[in-house]
Amino acid sequence: MAIPELYQEILIDIFLRLPAKSIGKCRCLSKPWRAFLSSPEFIKSHLARNSHKQNLLLISAANSIHSIDTIKERTNSAKIKLRSDWLEFVGSCDGLILLVNKKGEIFLVNPVTLQQRRVPNSPLSLKKRFSFTVHGFGYDSSTDDYKIVTLSYYDPECEYEPDCVDTFVDVYYVKKGFWRRVENSPYDHSAPDRASGVLLNGALHWLASSPGTGYPSVIAAFDLAREVFDEIPAPSGMNMDFVFNSLHVRGGCLCMVDYQCNARKSIWIMKEYGLAESWTKYGIGWYDGILKPLCFVGDEEFVLITHEALVVHNVKDGKSRDMVVDGVQDAFIDGGIFVGSLLSPTFS
């Protein structure tokens, strides 16, 4: 007997509200459910319905990865059983995460379905011994494809290519499965903090220097659709030497950690993208080493990775407290936010 249409609509609405992990269990109940819950149409609708539900993925000092579903002062984590010595969280988009291991290999991973795909090396990549490389990951809506962008340049202190100062830009088209070199970056990306590109508004952002008079620091944004760089205005009240700063995206806003004032750190948040006047400064206290903002908790607090622990900082009263993750003995070395989704990194 056919299922009434109204019942089908109710069932679909229930499925769309479930977290991705629960959908995975429902796929095992019957072949019709598996076929429906694995369809591209359902996966796309589920992602759209749940795109606001953000989780944390953390890399421990033991190079394992852990996920946290609910952010609170004391929380539990789930260890993700994907074998590799993970070293760097490059970025996430639509539930897919780009990770780098100790060997320098890059992988696309879905931490919910546990699917992973190793990204082939670019045939144009520079020799690792003589060069530096940074990555970024995002989605190009104009071509409906995901792109991995690699910036690489020769070590200026190495004699291998002493006269080459270019920053090469290679793009990997994930669905099509090939690399292509595009126009070189007009900026100098050889900053001490060789950070991954951060995704916002269809562009990957890096801190760089403009090779003009005095080499002023800039925020360089690589537009994923046009495959060219633009400049984003920096905070007018900040020292223009970004050499030890770091760039992030949290809460849908571009933000920069400022290390200029001795050991006291501050975070600048660009509340309206592209508008210089919208940068707002928040003091975050005295911390040693590099900080990485991970996510916001409500309107007044955000989670930071320090060199010792996870910290929850309140921007209203300026106070901080440690965030305890039960079941993990090591400190965390990197991490970021992701959306739980059913999207496969293989797109099969």
Side-chain angles (χ1 to χ4, degrees):
M1 183 175 67
I3 299 176
E5 185 175 340
L6 178 61
Y7 179 76
Q8 285 184 331
E9 292 180 1
I10 295 173
L11 195 60
I12 291 171
D13 186 65
I14 292 172
F15 281 139
L16 290 175
R17 295 173 185 270
L18 292 177
K21 288 182 180 179
S22 299
I23 296 295
K25 296 177 181 178
C26 292
R27 285 174 168 175
C28 301
L29 296 179
S30 71
K31 289 183 178 180
W33 279 23
R34 180 177 181 84
F36 169 70
L37 297 176
S38 302
S39 67
E41 295 78 14
F42 177 81
I43 291 174
K44 185 176 181 179
S45 298
H46 183 270
L47 177 60
R49 175 70 72 89
N50 296 276
S51 60
H52 65 288
K53 299 177 182 178
Q54 296 182 335
N55 308 312
L56 265 179
L57 185 135
L58 299 166
I59 301 178
S60 73
N63 303 111
S64 59
I65 51 178
H66 304 258
S67 66
I68 297 176
D69 297 333
T70 305
I71 311 302
K72 52 187 178 180
E73 191 167 338
R74 191 178 187 96
T75 187
N76 294 312
S77 72
K79 185 174 181 179
I80 299 175
K81 298 179 180 179
L82 292 172
R83 292 186 177 181
S84 191
D85 289 329
W86 304 109
L87 187 64
E88 181 185 356
F89 181 105
V90 173
S92 67
C93 185
D94 293 345
L96 299 181
I97 299 175
L98 192 66
L99 297 173
V100 180
N101 65 16
K102 281 188 172 182
K103 296 179 181 179
E105 299 168 333
I106 55 179
F107 287 81
L108 270 178
V109 171
N110 184 322
V112 175
T113 65
L114 301 184
Q115 293 175 294
Q116 68 181 57
R117 168 188 178 183
R118 182 183 171 187
V119 178
N121 295 332
S122 168
L124 302 170
S125 61
L126 306 182
K127 295 181 182 296
K128 293 182 180 180
R129 180 181 174 185
F130 307 109
S131 64
F132 296 109
T133 301
V134 293
H135 308 285
F137 174 57
Y139 175 70
D140 175 10
S141 60
S142 68
T143 60
D144 186 30
D145 202 353
Y146 294 85
K147 294 181 178 180
I148 297 169
V149 179
T150 295
L151 308 183
S152 56
Y153 53 91
Y154 287 107
D155 184 349
E157 298 182 0
C158 180
E159 297 181 356
Y160 184 73
E161 288 284 354
D163 298 326
C164 185
V165 295
D166 293 327
T167 296
F168 302 103
V169 183
D170 297 321
V171 179
Y172 183 71
Y173 304 84
V174 175
K175 290 185 179 181
K176 299 181 179 70
F178 68 87
W179 286 94
R180 185 170 79 94
R181 175 157 291 177
V182 298
E183 185 177 350
N184 292 348
S185 172
Y187 303 103
D188 179 0
H189 294 265
S190 58
D193 180 24
R194 287 178 280 275
S196 303
V198 293
L199 177 66
L200 184 65
N201 276 25
L204 292 166
H205 301 71
W206 281 276
L207 294 179
S209 297
S210 180
T213 305
Y215 279 76
S217 296
V218 298
I219 300 174
F222 182 80
D223 187 286
L224 288 168
R226 295 160 44 233
E227 298 185 344
V228 295
F229 279 93
D230 301 309
E231 285 188 24
I232 302 299
S236 58
M238 179 187 286
N239 186 323
M240 287 302 292
D241 183 6
F242 299 161
V243 66
F244 292 110
N245 290 8
S246 60
L247 197 65
H248 311 273
V249 172
R250 295 297 172 259
C253 297
L254 199 63
C255 62
M256 189 188 307
V257 180
D258 182 1
Y259 299 94
Q260 300 299 326
C261 303
N262 299 319
R264 183 173 178 80
K265 310 297 191 295
S266 59
I267 288 183
W268 291 80
I269 297 178
M270 192 180 214
K271 296 191 172 181
E272 185 172 345
Y273 184 75
L275 184 63
E277 294 77 15
S278 70
W279 283 103
T280 305
K281 183 179 180 181
Y282 299 93
I284 55 175
W286 302 79
Y287 294 101
D288 294 328
I290 300 296
L291 303 180
K292 183 174 182 178
L294 293 178
C295 63
F296 282 94
V297 183
D299 297 327
E300 298 178 354
E301 296 183 323
F302 49 81
V303 180
L304 300 162
I305 283 184
T306 73
H307 75 293
E308 294 178 341
L310 289 178
V311 171
V312 180
H313 181 81
N314 189 300
V315 297
K316 187 174 182 180
D317 60 22
K319 296 181 179 179
S320 300
R321 62 186 187 278
D322 288 343
M323 176 177 167
V324 179
V325 180
D326 291 331
V328 182
Q329 301 297 324
D330 300 305
F332 294 108
I333 59 174
D334 202 0
I337 57 173
F338 72 97
V339 174
S341 85
L342 303 164
L343 193 65
S344 171
T346 63
F347 292 94
S348 59

